[in-house]
């Protein structure tokens, strides 16, 4: 088969000849949008999502829910269209829940949220739902969801690898109950079971038995969003048993939710302020959030920037120096590529820990970052659970991205400081940030 020209196309990453000074409006959060879609689809009344992210991962989620019978109407709303308050204008999705049905086919692309959050929804559908996706999606772990759903009463046909492709034979209802899972390869296993659990006959008790659990803020996001639509959830944090989550069965409310900007997608823009000694403002940065990207305020401050959170948003100002960092990123793994890019440009070495599960993300991110930074003259080594990065003088070259949106944005950050970096397949950023090249050149004023 001839290679897709978009996948081999090279994008000359703009080099910054001066400090950036920009305000960047970052589109909505992937993780919040896809959870909101699932919860709205399972609710007992219509709901609104305002300022949803429209990217490959969220359009795949919306398409899959539509295939199972859910109505999702795209509208340009005004604040009078619902109870969304003064910020509610702009693009919106109105979600009209309906009896979930098969037969249906779901394309998960390479979206972890789609491939993990939807099999439990499909188990509630009346009929078979077939799941398929990109070649890489076949390699990403799904066994935690498949095995758990079988214990909870679902019938699933897979090829015994515990991965895609598979068919969930929905029977219109699922018993639910208690299940043990090892979610050390992805927090999304836990989130997936909790999100649909209010609709299981007995709810769910999820007991995580693995040695570690990545991305805890994403599980908190799941719990907070469930509670916001009326679900009763017991968590380890609320004085419950360690590693045990319980969801009580019950109807979910339709909500009017304005989606926060994607703070992980704000990362390359904030990094630009750090790398060029400039200043970038991200409007609408939430004062309180479960998004892991909020940790950037602390991490980029330690690396040499200073952050100010105002009523208007977050302002990051670079000092002109970038320092190395020794940090456990287990809670915020999706920030690793962007932090590695900044670390490669720092004045001292860095150690990034706690992220062995990144080997099973969009690509093997530890191997990909090591290879691509080293091919530009860097000195990165993989450890058992992360990366050692010793900054070197880098040179231009092709930065391969392996169909990974965060590799592409990491390469763009390096390109700010290093002339002649070309990003392969920058279009892969469409997974979560379709406007990236325009937002990037807009920030730089080129
Ligand atoms: O639940 C979510 O929305 C996510 C959880 C995390 O997954 P893992 O726990 O698999 O790392 C994160 O990396 C991913 O980008 C989004
Ligand atoms: C790991 C990521 O995505 P996914 O939701 O596909 O797991 C990511 O966006 O960095």
């Amino acid at each position: 088969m001839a290679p897709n020209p978009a996948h081999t196309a090279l994008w000359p990453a703009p080099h910054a000849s001066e400090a950036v000074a920009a305000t960047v409006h970052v589109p909505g959060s992937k993780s919040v949008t896809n959870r909101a879609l699932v919860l709205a689809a399972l609710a007992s009344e219509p709901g609104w999502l305002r300022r949803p992210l429209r990217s490959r991962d969220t359009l795949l989620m919306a398409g899959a829910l539509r295939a199972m019978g859910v109505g999702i109407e795209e509208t340009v709303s005004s604040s009078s269209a619902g109870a969304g308050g003064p910020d509610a204008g702009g693009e919106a999705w109105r979600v009209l829940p309906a009896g979930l049905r098969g037969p249906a086919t779901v394309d998960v692309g390479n979206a972890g949220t789609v491939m993990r959050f939807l099999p439990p929804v499909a188990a509630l559908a009346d009929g078979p739902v077939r799941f398929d996706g990109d070649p890489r999606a076949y390699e990403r772990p799904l066994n935690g969801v498949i095995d758990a759903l079988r214990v909870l009463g679902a019938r699933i046909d897979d090829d015994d690898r515990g991965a895609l492709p598979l068919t969930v034979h929905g029977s219109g209802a699922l018993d639910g109950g208690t299940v043990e899972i090892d979610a050390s390869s992805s927090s999304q296993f836990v989130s997936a079971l909790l999100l649909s659990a209010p609709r299981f006959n007995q709810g769910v008790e999820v007991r995580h038995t693995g040695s570690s659990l990545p991305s805890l803020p994403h599980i908190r996001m799941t719990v907070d969003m469930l509670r916001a639509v009326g679900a009763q959830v017991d968590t380890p944090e609320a004085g419950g048993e360690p590693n045990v989550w319980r969801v009580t069965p019950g109807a979910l409310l339709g909500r009017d939710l304005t989606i926060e900007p994607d703070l992980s997608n704000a990362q390359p823009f904030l990094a630009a302020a750090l790398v060029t000694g400039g200043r970038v403002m991200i409007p609408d940065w939430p004062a309180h959030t479960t998004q892991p990207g909020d940790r950037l305020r602390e991490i980029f401050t330690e690396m040499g920037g200073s952050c100010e959170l105002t009523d208007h948003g977050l302002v990051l100002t670079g000092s002109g120096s970038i320092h190395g960092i020794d940090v456990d990123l287990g809670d915020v793994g999706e920030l690793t590529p962007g932090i590695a890019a900044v670390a490669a440009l720092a004045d001292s070495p860095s150690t990034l820990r706690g992220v062995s599960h990144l080997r099973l993300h969009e690509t093997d991110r530890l191997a990909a970052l090591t290879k691509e930074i080293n091919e530009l003259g860097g000195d990165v080594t993989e450890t058992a659970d992360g990366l050692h990065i010793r900054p070197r003088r880098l040179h231009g070259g092709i930065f391969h991205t392996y169909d990974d949106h965060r590799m592409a944005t990491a390469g763009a950050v390096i390109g700010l400081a290093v002339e002649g970096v070309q990003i392969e397949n920058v279009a892969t950023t469409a997974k979560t940030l379709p406007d990236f090249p325009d937002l990037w050149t807009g920030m730089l004023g080129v």
Side-chain angles (χ1 to χ4, degrees):
M1 203 166 55
N4 182 335
H7 291 199
T8 51
L10 296 178
W11 181 69
H15 181 251
S17 44
E18 53 192 42
V20 299
T23 295
V24 182
H25 289 268
V26 176
S29 156
K30 164 197 77 171
S31 293
V32 176
T33 300
N34 275 358
R35 281 169 174 74
L37 279 172
V38 170
L39 292 171
L42 295 173
S44 53
E45 55 189 356
W48 286 95
L49 273 68
R50 303 188 190 276
R51 300 192 196 161
L53 174 67
R54 299 184 91 265
S55 74
R56 184 173 188 228
D57 279 14
T58 61
L59 294 175
L60 285 169
M61 180 65 93
L65 292 169
R66 283 189 182 115
M68 287 189 264
V70 177
I72 301 175
E73 294 169 355
E74 303 205 27
T75 64
V76 175
S77 70
S78 68
S79 44
S80 61
D87 278 336
E91 199 166 318
W93 286 346
R94 178 146 174 84
V95 182
L96 304 157
L100 297 163
R101 58 165 195 258
T105 302
V106 168
D107 175 10
V108 309
N110 188 12
T113 49
V114 183
M115 76 177 82
R116 280 124 183 190
F117 294 176
L118 286 188
V121 175
L124 297 166
D126 202 353
V129 182
R130 165 104 184 141
F131 287 82
D132 209 337
D134 293 359
R136 175 63 179 173
Y138 285 35
E139 295 167 18
R140 297 187 66 185
L142 196 53
N143 56 315
V145 175
I146 296 172
D147 295 347
L149 284 176
R150 284 186 176 134
V151 169
L152 298 174
R155 184 157 77 83
I156 300 177
D157 285 336
D158 66 350
D159 59 6
D160 297 329
R161 288 188 315 118
L164 287 169
L166 56 88
T167 300
V168 179
H169 295 275
S171 61
L174 192 73
D175 291 342
T178 299
V179 68
E180 291 192 346
I181 62 167
D182 177 353
S184 49
S185 61
S186 175
S187 66
Q188 291 175 347
F189 297 171
V190 176
S191 288
L193 296 169
L194 301 185
L195 280 171
S196 289
R199 292 279 303 268
F200 302 166
N201 297 341
Q202 303 165 40
V204 85
E205 177 176 297
V206 176
R207 309 183 73 89
H208 165 64
T209 57
S211 54
S212 59
L213 184 56
S215 313
L216 269 175
H218 276 116
I219 297 181
R220 283 188 204 115
M221 180 187 288
T222 300
V223 170
D224 281 8
M225 290 184 68
L226 272 162
R227 287 180 175 153
V229 292
Q232 194 195 316
V233 190
D234 297 330
T235 65
E237 278 119 338
E241 260 183 87
N243 291 312
V244 177
W245 291 261
R246 283 190 203 89
V247 180
T248 307
L252 298 180
L253 308 170
R255 262 202 70 187
D256 192 318
L257 179 69
T258 301
I259 310 290
E260 301 169 354
D262 193 308
L263 307 187
S264 298
N265 277 338
Q267 182 183 36
F269 306 99
L270 296 174
L274 199 53
V275 165
T276 66
R279 187 175 178 278
V280 166
M281 151 93 158
I282 310 286
D284 301 321
W285 193 282
H288 303 283
T289 179
T290 48
Q291 285 194 66
D294 201 33
R295 270 281 298 284
L296 288 169
R297 292 193 284 146
E298 172 197 327
I299 292 170
F300 280 170
T301 300
E302 200 176 330
M303 295 186 88
S306 60
C307 288
E308 195 191 353
L309 186 55
T310 71
D311 287 349
H312 303 292
L314 181 72
V315 179
L316 189 143
T317 310
S319 60
S321 315
I322 310 167
H323 311 309
I325 190 167
D326 184 334
V327 62
D328 188 324
L329 297 176
D331 271 357
V332 295
E334 68 181 17
L335 304 179
T336 305
I339 293 170
V342 175
L345 304 170
D347 56 16
S348 59
S350 292
T351 302
L352 312 185
R353 311 171 188 279
V355 284
S356 55
H357 69 292
L358 261 61
R359 295 194 166 91
L360 297 166
H361 272 185
E362 280 80 337
T363 185
D364 176 341
R365 285 180 166 162
L366 301 185
L369 287 163
T370 303
K371 182 162 184 298
E372 296 310 313
I373 296 173
N374 288 351
E375 286 199 351
L376 300 182
D379 183 1
V380 181
T381 45
E382 274 187 64
T383 64
D385 74 338
L387 299 173
H388 276 312
I389 303 170
R390 286 161 298 267
R392 295 275 179 272
R393 191 178 174 81
L394 303 182
H395 53 72
I398 297 176
F399 197 87
H400 299 93
T401 52
Y402 311 90
D403 294 326
D404 183 348
H405 53 144
R406 299 200 200 278
M407 284 298 292
T409 50
V413 169
I414 293 176
L416 289 172
V418 180
E419 269 183 278
V421 174
Q422 302 197 76
I423 312 292
E424 176 210 44
N425 187 19
V426 74
T428 196
T429 51
K431 184 175 192 283
T432 58
L433 188 53
D435 303 329
F436 175 71
D438 285 348
L439 286 170
W440 197 248
T441 49
M443 170 188 73
L444 295 166
V446 293

